[in-house]
Amino acid sequence: MHPQEALLEIIRNPSQVRTFSDMLRVEPGKLVRFTRLEDSKVSHLMISLGNGRFAGMNNKALESSLSNEKRILIAEQLGTFKEDVLRTFDKRHSLLVEKGDFHPSHAPTKSLMDAAAEMIDKVHYEKSSTRFALEVLVAAKKLVPQQADALERLATLMTGKLDGEKISLVKLNKFLLIEKIYYS
């Protein structure tokens, strides 16, 4: 998918923001998309914090007097509305402004069986069954690699070699004690 298409699809059921008053009423958590009228390209996205405040970075894409640093801006800093369109103060852009809810794009996922079948030929026999299962979950996009690594460390902590692959009660109690301390 082309990046511009992804930006157009990122907001579910967008509604146009036509006036400064509309900007002040954009609900907290809504995404706000700014599309240049001259070339129909999405030039910027911000998140509404409510009451006419918006969080964004690389804000210079909207208005040359703004910085590229992460900032919370108020609606008055973005430009003025004329004929249902936001016009930047530097007169570089006329922007269609839309608000809506985030619509995550879903990356294609594989079934666990398909992911395992693809990986079976690549298996290194020195890998544990736990590692293989975690790699299948990563390949199927059910986990990210960092989650798989953390789960493997947890499984190593909880399983002992004293009695095969059974959980060592001593290690389980240590884990539960650690979890209790962190989440108390």
Side-chain angles (χ1 to χ4, degrees):
M1 176 182 290
H2 190 273
Q4 278 295 317
E5 291 173 18
L7 289 172
L8 287 172
E9 293 179 11
I10 201 165
I11 294 180
R12 182 182 0 197
N13 302 323
S15 60
Q16 187 175 354
V17 176
R18 298 174 184 276
T19 66
F20 181 72
S21 183
D22 289 347
M23 282 292 275
L24 295 176
R25 289 189 301 243
V26 175
E27 303 91 340
K30 295 282 185 187
L31 281 181
V32 179
R33 178 174 57 207
F34 300 86
T35 306
R36 292 189 305 249
L37 292 181
E38 50 269 20
D39 59 8
S40 299
K41 290 197 176 185
V42 176
S43 66
H44 202 54
L45 290 170
M46 297 184 91
I47 298 173
S48 173
L49 303 175
N51 297 321
R53 294 174 301 135
F54 303 91
M57 55 191 255
N58 298 324
N59 297 308
K60 211 168 220 170
L62 276 181
E63 163 69 44
S64 61
S65 65
L66 300 174
S67 76
N68 281 331
E69 297 170 2
K70 297 175 190 172
R71 293 279 186 240
I72 295 174
L73 302 174
I74 57 175
E76 292 90 341
Q77 292 175 281
L78 303 177
T80 58
F81 277 90
K82 186 175 181 184
E83 299 173 5
D84 298 338
V85 172
L86 180 69
R87 303 203 192 279
T88 59
F89 291 120
D90 62 7
K91 310 284 189 230
R92 285 189 315 156
H93 302 295
S94 294
L95 303 159
L96 172 69
V97 182
E98 297 170 294
K99 67 175 183 174
D101 294 316
F102 176 65
H103 186 263
S105 59
H106 297 287
T109 58
K110 301 175 189 173
S111 73
L112 293 177
M113 188 60 91
D114 291 341
E118 286 179 12
M119 291 181 59
I120 200 71
D121 295 331
K122 301 174 192 170
V123 174
H124 298 282
Y125 291 100
E126 64 272 2
K127 287 185 183 176
S128 71
S129 57
T130 302
R131 187 70 213 167
F132 177 74
L134 292 171
E135 286 179 5
V136 169
L137 291 170
V138 169
K141 298 189 186 314
K142 304 293 183 193
L143 293 177
V144 295
Q146 295 84 350
Q147 290 172 313
D149 292 342
L151 285 171
E152 184 176 32
R153 286 191 303 275
L154 176 62
T156 302
L157 173 70
M158 291 180 62
T159 57
K161 296 297 179 186
L162 299 175
D163 193 12
E165 290 289 322
K166 293 183 181 172
I167 294 175
S168 160
L169 289 177
V170 173
K171 289 182 180 185
L172 177 61
N173 286 331
K174 284 182 182 177
F175 170 72
L176 293 174
L177 179 64
I178 291 169
E179 185 175 313
K180 186 177 179 183
I181 291 169
Y182 283 126
Y183 296 109
S184 297

